[in-house]
Amino acid sequence: MAQVYRGGQPFGTGHPALLTPHEVRTHEFPPRRRGVDPAEVRRFQSRLADEIAALYQEIRVLAQENDRLRRALREVQARPAGQCRPPNGGCW
């Protein structure tokens, strides 16, 4: 069975398939006899897609910050003990 990709992740790999802002904006709903106002649905979809895009951007920024902090921690942990100075000048 071929892998189907959705949201950048292979479908069925255990990773949740995240909706993309584009998928939210372009999703079509079948017409119903006593349905809702299509313009209102489109406004809601647009607002939701904008919020999803902002959250994905925030996740990217936080992941970059997390990587930076991990690298800094590894550098500090890799120093020999004699090179590390206590922040209080050694006075306990």
Side-chain angles (χ1 to χ4, degrees):
M1 186 167 121
Q3 293 287 334
V4 177
Y5 287 82
R6 178 169 180 261
Q9 297 290 332
F11 180 75
T13 60
H15 297 287
L18 301 175
L19 286 173
T20 64
H22 177 73
E23 288 175 315
V24 172
R25 284 185 210 282
T26 59
H27 184 78
E28 294 289 330
F29 295 93
R32 297 281 183 218
R33 184 172 171 188
R34 299 179 114 194
V36 294
D37 180 18
E40 188 175 335
V41 170
R42 293 289 173 224
R43 281 193 300 273
F44 178 77
Q45 283 178 302
S46 180
R47 182 175 151 211
L48 180 61
D50 291 343
E51 289 182 19
I52 289 172
L55 289 172
Y56 286 168
Q57 176 62 28
E58 186 175 351
I59 288 170
R60 280 190 293 275
V61 168
L62 292 173
Q64 290 171 351
E65 177 70 4
N66 190 23
D67 289 342
R68 186 190 68 76
L69 291 171
R70 284 181 189 212
R71 283 193 304 275
L73 179 61
R74 271 190 244 121
E75 289 174 12
V76 169
Q77 289 174 336
R79 290 183 195 163
Q83 291 180 353
C84 296
R85 293 186 182 155
N88 62 359
C91 301
W92 297 97

